[in-house]
Amino acid sequence: MIIMRIALAAILALDLLAASLATAEQPAGTVYRVGLLWPGGAPPSRLRMEAFRKGLLDAGYVEGQNIVIDERHAEKAERLYELATEMVRSKASVIVSSGDLGPQMAQKATKTIPIVAATDDFVGAGLVTSLGRPEANTTGVNILSPELSAKRLSLLKEILPKLSRVGVLWDPVNSSQLIATQNAAKALAVKLQVFEIRSREDVAAAFRAARKGRVEAINVFASPLLSSLHQSILDGAASYHFPAIYQWREHAEEGGLVSYGPSLTEVWRQTATVVGKVLKGAKPGDLPIEQPTKFELVVNMKTAKAIGVTIPRPVLLRADQVIDR
């Protein structure tokens, strides 16, 4: 009996200590403001936001109770910087952004407020000097876009063995993706035709130029801007019967031929998890940059049939999802 009482007392003491530490980390009644700076012409998609809120919930943060999400979006650097400075003035607890441009504008606006980013290339974009120890006010998830853009070119070559000319839709904010893919193109004996996309109007012009330049397939690079223009890009590829490869599975599900990249929802959930660590007191500079843990290959057979492309069996066997309806 005495031993049992001692054990119960010890458990109670540990519970009280845990509660005390939690209270120290998060003062009762504190409402944190998360500034979500999205570099696109429209707000982040429903899938992104649902995954982000789920990650915050898992970390103990409920929108409307102990956290407020202040979402702002813009395509141009100048406007993104203005929005970032507004977040600084409103005393955001943390600023969350994606791609390279958004985090760059956030860093320009503040050197003290924590920044959590889901970025195409942290080091290449000059956001941090080390993935293992950022030593700045910025951390987050590195999407590995340069390596994956090059990998997607290899997948196109595997699907179309005679491929010799590929059009690239490129957001010039993300220079490292182009360099990596150009190197891959040399190894694959593929010539690249690069089309800069800075606005929605550039998409239609790029597809017209691709047809005129006898492009045989399209590699859509990763960026928040290009992601926000995905419907125009999907429509253009369908209109010209271009085989095209994308980063996110959602693009293949909506009619793209193939997608290969991280899980979109997992990246946003993972980003929210990092936000949770920062809100609980972790210093961004001490948090190693994380990488995606889940990658997905999706093939849309309905689109393949529509444009007359035969997907090799080895690709189908590796696919995480094959869409045939």
Side-chain angles (χ1 to χ4, degrees):
M1 180 68 75
I2 293 175
I3 294 175
M4 183 178 294
R5 286 176 180 173
I6 292 173
L8 289 173
I11 292 171
L12 178 60
L14 288 173
D15 288 343
L16 289 173
L17 177 60
S20 175
L21 290 173
T23 301
E25 291 175 345
Q26 295 179 269
T30 300
V31 177
Y32 297 94
R33 178 175 292 274
V34 175
L36 181 56
L37 185 67
W38 175 246
S45 68
R46 176 185 57 81
L47 285 171
R48 285 177 165 85
M49 293 307 299
E50 285 179 354
F52 187 66
R53 290 187 174 95
K54 176 62 166 57
L56 289 174
L57 182 62
D58 291 343
Y61 298 98
V62 181
E63 190 175 11
Q65 293 185 18
N66 58 356
I67 199 165
V68 173
I69 300 175
D70 179 18
E71 185 275 319
R72 308 290 183 88
H73 62 271
E75 290 183 357
K76 304 298 183 181
E78 297 81 3
R79 181 56 181 155
L80 282 168
Y81 174 66
E82 291 174 3
L83 294 175
T85 56
E86 289 177 12
M87 291 176 179
V88 173
R89 286 196 296 268
S90 68
K91 298 182 179 179
S93 307
V94 60
I95 296 176
V96 179
S97 195
S98 296
D100 293 346
L101 182 61
Q104 286 169 344
M105 294 302 102
Q107 281 191 339
K108 184 179 178 181
T110 179
K111 302 300 181 186
T112 56
I113 294 175
I115 298 168
V116 176
T119 293
D120 298 301
D121 182 8
F122 269 91
V123 175
L127 296 170
V128 301
T129 56
S130 169
L131 297 178
R133 191 173 179 82
E135 296 184 348
N137 65 326
T138 305
T139 189
V141 182
N142 198 30
I143 303 178
L144 307 174
S145 293
E147 297 90 339
L148 292 174
S149 293
K151 174 63 176 176
R152 284 188 283 272
L153 182 64
S154 297
L155 276 169
L156 276 177
K157 182 71 172 179
E158 186 176 357
I159 293 169
L160 302 164
K162 296 182 179 180
L163 187 66
S164 62
R165 189 182 296 267
V166 175
V168 167
L169 299 191
W170 174 51
D171 175 358
V173 170
N174 309 101
S175 60
S176 55
Q177 290 184 64
L178 184 58
I179 295 170
T181 308
Q182 286 173 330
N183 291 335
K186 291 178 183 178
L188 295 168
V190 171
K191 183 175 182 180
L192 296 184
Q193 191 166 343
V194 181
F195 304 102
E196 293 188 10
I197 306 296
R198 298 177 184 271
S199 66
R200 188 175 304 276
E201 291 70 29
D202 292 336
V203 174
F207 278 107
R208 289 195 298 269
R211 171 54 59 86
K212 185 176 180 180
R214 294 179 295 173
V215 162
E216 300 160 335
I218 300 289
N219 187 356
V220 182
F221 278 6
S223 88
L225 173 61
L226 292 174
S227 188
S228 70
L229 299 175
H230 76 276
Q231 192 57 58
S232 297
I233 294 171
L234 289 169
D235 291 344
S239 296
Y240 288 95
H241 282 209
F242 279 128
I245 191 165
Y246 306 81
Q247 173 167 264
W248 304 115
R249 73 176 298 154
E250 287 71 19
H251 297 159
E253 290 174 343
E254 293 178 23
L257 177 64
V258 183
S259 67
Y260 178 71
S263 164
L264 174 67
T265 54
E266 187 62 19
V267 165
W268 277 68
R269 185 207 59 77
Q270 192 174 357
T271 302
T273 299
V274 178
V275 171
K277 294 177 182 178
V278 169
L279 293 180
K280 290 174 182 174
K283 295 180 179 179
D286 295 337
L287 290 175
I289 305 296
E290 298 185 10
Q291 295 184 1
T293 57
K294 182 179 180 181
F295 297 86
E296 302 170 318
L297 172 62
V298 180
V299 178
N300 191 317
M301 290 300 293
K302 181 179 178 182
T303 299
K305 293 173 183 175
I307 63 177
V309 170
T310 300
I311 305 296
R313 182 170 175 78
V315 175
L316 292 175
L317 290 175
R318 296 201 308 272
D320 296 280
Q321 181 182 1
V322 176
I323 302 168
D324 54 12
R325 294 184 182 180

